[in-house]
Amino acid sequence: MNFRKLEQLVDVRASITGHKTKQFPVVGIERKEDIALHHSLTKMHLSGSNAEGYANYHVYTLGWPGIGYHFVIEENGTIKWCNNLDLRTYHVGNFNNQAIGICLSGDFRIEQPTDAQKQSLRHLVEALKIDLPNYKRTLGHNDYPGYARKQCPVFDWKSVLASKSIAPITLENSTHVIKKGDTLWEIAAGNHITVAKLLSLNPNLDPYHLRIGQTIQLAAGKNREVIGHATVLVPFLNRRAEASFNSKITGAIRKGQQLEVYGIKNGLYDIGSLGWISAGTKYTRFEPTISELPNGILRRGDRGEGVKQLQRALNTVNFHVGEEDGIFGRKTKDGVSRFQSVYLPNEIDGIYGPNTKRELERRLLE
């Protein structure tokens, strides 16, 4: 999917508020022919004028299964991905089956979208027009039959989409270094995010004991390499603060949610700012992102990116070697030997070479 490559995209599907029992029906992405544009009718500077605030209102006040939009574009250009594209969410009545809903934060009766929002809207619509197999049109909420009375989305979105799109933006101030006198509230307010969001992006942060010189995340990191995607197979799966089954439970992820995985440690997947989840095959289905395996020979004592690629591949095919630290030590040699004992029984030497590479590639593609 092209939209997943956008640098300003943040996947909040697993963390955003959802109803405990209700779910949006699956209608299939092939039925999605429209992109429907909305504004939130909430002023940008208000604390709840974001995807999380809209989700809370839709679930707790309206009783909906979840947030009604597929995407929310916030003031600084962040694109929050809130729902799978194949779901019938609630945002344009009788046309929900066929429409992908995009909401821009703001009350555009009295204010205008920011340049960052406009640019993100162009990028997102351009990507979705490619990703939706039966795409036909983009409309404002009030363009749909029966909704002409709606003051939504109000702004001149046609001119925005007609403008020449420039290279995808990278959010400014993706990190902040703690200075003397800083408080989480001041950091959040100065970067147009909530304290709750700051804490979700920094699960190990102690809000009462900030350390001068400490670096915290202001946006979901895009510089980390995704090694694959994990789909939750059970009704609810606990999220943990650290790579340990004994660590604090910070929340849960619902069945069917797909998450980007950045690594594996102690039998848990690293899912970025959301923390860690079990890597057990009973709980999650893992689909690796196939990356090039190193050439040549690797043995105990070697170090570097090639060793890290080997460790990642072994972890992916369940010959676990622990942390992917780029050091070919005892655990990595043991992992290679165990793999060879299954797939190269006549070549069990714990040394990575062309034959081991060939068999690893085959297992990764299964």
Side-chain angles (χ1 to χ4, degrees):
M1 288 288 185
N2 290 276
F3 79 88
R4 297 186 68 160
K5 300 175 184 177
L6 297 175
E7 292 186 1
Q8 59 269 52
L9 185 79
V10 177
D11 184 354
V12 299
R13 292 173 299 162
S15 59
I16 202 162
T17 298
H19 198 280
K20 290 184 177 180
T21 58
K22 297 178 183 178
Q23 291 187 335
F24 288 119
V26 176
V27 296
I29 193 172
E30 67 279 356
R31 295 189 65 178
K32 299 297 184 180
E33 301 176 349
D34 295 359
I35 297 172
L37 304 181
H38 306 262
H39 71 143
S40 66
L41 274 172
T42 57
K43 294 180 181 179
M44 292 182 197
H45 69 275
L46 297 178
S47 61
S49 192
N50 50 42
E52 291 75 15
Y54 313 147
N56 289 337
Y57 176 72
H58 290 173
V59 173
Y60 298 130
T61 301
L62 301 182
W64 292 359
I67 186 171
Y69 311 113
H70 293 87
F71 299 94
V72 172
I73 302 178
E74 297 181 354
E75 182 180 4
N76 68 348
T78 300
I79 302 171
K80 298 282 184 67
W81 180 16
C82 305
N83 281 301
N84 292 342
L85 301 192
D86 60 357
L87 296 182
R88 180 191 191 274
T89 62
Y90 304 163
H91 60 99
V92 67
N94 294 333
F95 300 90
N96 286 327
N97 280 341
Q98 70 193 56
I100 295 291
I102 300 176
C103 177
L104 281 71
S105 294
D107 183 349
F108 300 142
R109 300 170 302 177
I110 56 176
E111 56 189 346
Q112 287 296 312
T114 65
D115 289 342
Q117 283 181 306
K118 293 176 183 178
Q119 188 161 304
S120 289
L121 178 63
R122 286 196 294 270
H123 294 151
L124 180 56
V125 170
E126 287 169 3
L128 290 174
K129 287 166 68 174
I130 299 171
D131 292 335
L132 299 177
N134 296 310
Y135 169 80
K136 290 183 179 178
R137 59 186 184 172
T138 297
L139 296 174
H141 189 174
N142 60 353
D143 292 322
Y144 283 91
Y147 292 95
R149 69 186 188 283
K150 288 277 189 180
Q151 288 185 290
C152 181
V154 184
F155 74 100
D156 188 1
W157 58 268
K158 292 181 181 178
S159 296
V160 171
L161 296 183
S163 300
K164 185 177 180 181
S165 186
I166 59 177
I169 60 173
T170 301
L171 295 178
E172 297 180 357
N173 302 325
S174 60
T175 61
H176 176 85
V177 178
I178 301 294
K179 302 183 296 295
K180 184 177 181 179
D182 274 351
T183 67
L184 280 192
W185 185 88
E186 290 171 338
I187 296 169
N191 289 278
H192 307 290
I193 57 177
T194 64
V195 171
K197 180 62 178 175
L198 266 182
L199 291 173
S200 71
L201 289 169
N202 301 273
N204 297 320
L205 182 67
D206 183 346
Y208 303 105
H209 298 92
L210 300 180
R211 292 182 284 107
I212 295 174
Q214 182 180 13
T215 299
I216 61 173
Q217 295 292 321
L218 302 178
K222 289 293 179 179
N223 57 342
R224 300 184 67 192
E225 182 178 355
V226 176
I227 67 167
H229 294 85
T231 302
V232 176
L233 303 177
V234 292
F236 290 94
L237 184 61
N238 288 333
R239 290 190 288 120
R240 298 186 180 275
E242 299 176 4
S244 169
F245 286 103
N246 295 322
S247 69
K248 180 182 177 181
I249 295 174
T250 58
I253 296 171
R254 289 172 289 169
K255 183 177 181 179
Q257 295 287 352
Q258 188 181 72
L259 305 157
E260 292 183 338
V261 175
Y262 298 93
I264 183 170
K265 186 177 181 181
N266 299 333
L268 293 104
Y269 289 130
D270 176 359
I271 54 171
S273 62
L274 295 176
W276 300 78
I277 58 170
S278 172
T281 55
K282 183 191 299 185
Y283 307 106
T284 51
R285 181 178 65 251
F286 183 71
E287 299 172 6
T289 299
I290 304 302
S291 58
E292 184 179 355
L293 286 168
N295 294 317
I297 305 295
L298 293 172
R299 53 170 53 89
R300 187 167 182 174
D302 288 337
R303 295 172 176 248
E305 186 60 32
V307 176
K308 186 178 291 188
Q309 290 176 327
L310 170 60
Q311 292 169 328
R312 183 176 304 138
L314 289 168
N315 281 333
T316 297
V317 297
N318 295 314
F319 287 83
H320 299 300
V321 298
E323 186 177 358
E324 297 157 13
D325 57 6
I327 302 172
F328 200 129
R330 177 184 58 80
K331 289 183 179 180
T332 302
K333 180 180 179 180
D334 177 66
V336 172
S337 296
R338 285 185 283 112
F339 179 84
Q340 291 171 334
S341 70
V342 175
Y343 298 107
L344 292 167
N346 297 320
E347 191 179 313
I348 308 173
D349 56 9
I351 298 174
Y352 171 86
N355 292 337
T356 304
K357 176 185 178 182
R358 182 189 68 245
E359 292 302 320
L360 259 178
E361 287 176 335
R362 289 176 179 174
R363 304 290 84 75
L364 287 168
L365 291 170
E366 287 181 343

